[in-house]
Amino acid sequence: MNTNLLYVVDDKGAIQYVQIAKDLWEKMEPLVKPLLSAKDASELKQQERPLADFKTLMEYWDFSYPYTPNVECPCCQAKTDDWRNDPKERFLLTNATLGGLLVFHCKTCGTTIRHKYFKDHVCYEHTTPKKR
Ligand SMILES: [Zn+2]
């Protein structure tokens, strides 16, 4: 019997989880880490609070130019013409302030993208997570 792996089944006998011996896991973890974080990223969902703050920002929008909803990731080149209606939901709005700051999370590569709105121009910044 292989004691490194233990299958956890549901009441119909279908495998739901696999338990891995700690010694084995320690060897496996660095190998499967990219998969684990990719899964986490795909499960990220747009949160309501920044969306509500975004709506407030739109209501009080008094900059000298219209708001443009396109977002582009300078790191992985993912882009959308309108993050609000992107079927692939490439970008999540993680923060919005009345002062004119929007923060997006790129689901493809994890880059944080900041759109800073000033009276007559927009400033784009980004921070890409360090590769391990
Ligand atoms: Zn990206």
Side-chain angles (χ1 to χ4, degrees):
M1 190 181 143
N2 186 342
T3 54
N4 281 328
L5 293 178
L6 192 69
Y7 294 99
V8 180
V9 297
D10 65 13
D11 53 10
K12 294 185 185 78
I15 295 169
Q16 294 293 309
Y17 301 97
V18 181
Q19 283 186 0
I20 299 162
K22 187 166 172 285
D23 289 354
L24 180 61
W25 173 247
E26 280 168 359
K27 290 182 194 128
M28 285 172 65
E29 194 181 8
L31 303 173
V32 299
K33 219 157 200 159
L35 288 174
L36 293 172
S37 56
K39 190 172 183 295
D40 290 348
S42 68
E43 284 173 357
L44 286 174
K45 289 272 175 282
Q46 178 63 57
Q47 299 296 305
E48 289 304 318
R49 194 188 56 81
L51 275 188
D53 292 342
F54 172 77
K55 283 201 184 86
T56 308
L57 173 64
M58 289 299 107
E59 281 165 23
Y60 290 90
W61 187 266
D62 63 348
F63 301 110
S64 61
Y65 48 88
Y67 175 70
T68 47
N70 60 308
V71 181
E72 183 165 355
C73 176
C75 179
C76 73
Q77 271 74 49
K79 59 177 166 184
T80 178
D81 290 334
D82 188 344
W83 63 269
R84 300 166 297 183
N85 297 298
D86 181 6
K88 289 188 178 162
E89 238 191 12
R90 292 177 185 88
F91 301 97
L92 298 176
L93 182 68
T94 56
N95 196 14
T97 69
L98 253 181
L101 170 71
L102 296 180
V103 184
F104 295 94
H105 172 82
C106 173
K107 281 170 78 174
T108 310
C109 71
T111 289
T112 300
I113 300 156
R114 289 178 296 279
H115 292 184
K116 293 180 176 177
Y117 296 94
F118 296 96
K119 208 77 206 155
D120 50 14
H121 73 284
V122 192
C123 179
Y124 300 102
E125 293 177 359
H126 73 279
T127 312
T128 302
K130 287 192 184 74
K131 296 258 188 328
R132 274 182 233 173

